[in-house]
Amino acid sequence: MNILPLTPTRAASIIAQDGGNGWNRREEHWLAVLAQIETGQRATLVAVLDAQVVGYGSLLWRSGYPGFAAADIPEVHDLATLAQHRGKGVATSLIAALEDLARQRGHQVTGLGVGLYADYGPAQRLYTRLGYRPDGNGVTYRHTPVVSGALFPIDDELLLWLTRRL
């Protein structure tokens, strides 16, 4: 498996595949990602096995989560593995490569947000195994802190934020 930068050709490969739950096939999403790479807002890497993209992930240099933005913590973002390749080290390899990019820019910490319902169970276990720990600021909904007693839907916008010292 090779970890390579996202290119338009590799983005087209992602769009062409039904990767299962969490795999983003929307062309407009990948056009926006490519534009953000060009402007230096993010770095995006893909895992390629036998000429097939089997995973992808990004590093946002300026997180939308205020806790990370204020501390200049780059965010591991939009990580996905093709369904038939899950559990084989693809995401682990992508995270390691993204952390290397952060180190190269002088960052000592990376962070990420993880959902709270069962679909995120494998990701929660992976991030814990890799040394990611809660940042101590609780859960957010659309990057806004959740306060005691408030009601929010349990969806992809309700996140616990984790960090790891590099």
Side-chain angles (χ1 to χ4, degrees):
M1 179 174 56
N2 294 307
I3 305 297
L4 304 167
L6 181 71
T7 63
T9 301
R10 293 179 186 130
S13 174
I14 294 167
I15 293 164
Q17 298 184 74
D18 181 3
N21 187 30
W23 189 265
N24 194 329
R25 296 180 61 192
R26 293 185 356 257
E27 181 179 14
E28 58 275 6
H29 168 80
W30 292 104
L31 292 173
V33 167
L34 289 165
Q36 290 174 348
I37 292 167
E38 284 295 315
T39 60
Q41 296 172 297
R42 76 163 67 205
T44 301
L45 301 175
V46 296
V48 178
L49 181 65
D50 298 329
Q52 178 187 29
V53 174
V54 297
Y56 58 81
S58 289
L59 193 64
L60 302 178
W61 295 112
R62 180 152 180 85
S63 175
Y65 169 51
F68 290 174
D72 194 29
I73 297 172
E75 177 189 336
V76 174
H77 181 77
D78 195 24
L79 189 69
T81 301
L82 200 61
Q84 60 267 37
H85 290 278
R86 292 180 185 155
K88 299 178 182 175
V90 174
T92 300
S93 295
L94 283 164
I95 290 170
L98 293 167
E99 289 173 344
D100 284 345
L101 291 177
R103 268 189 217 91
Q104 289 168 19
R105 283 214 186 170
H107 293 278
Q108 297 178 355
V109 176
T110 55
L112 51 82
V114 66
L116 301 179
Y117 59 94
D119 287 357
Y120 286 97
Q124 294 164 358
R125 287 190 304 274
L126 171 65
Y127 302 150
T128 301
R129 191 169 58 251
L130 295 178
Y132 282 85
R133 301 287 180 257
D135 72 349
N137 294 315
V139 177
T140 64
Y141 190 78
R142 295 187 178 153
H143 297 143
T144 301
V146 171
V147 295
S148 179
L151 299 177
F152 292 92
I154 305 296
D155 62 15
D156 294 339
E157 300 293 333
L158 187 66
L159 302 175
L160 178 65
W161 296 91
L162 312 172
T163 59
R164 178 183 178 303
R165 186 162 272 309
L166 300 175

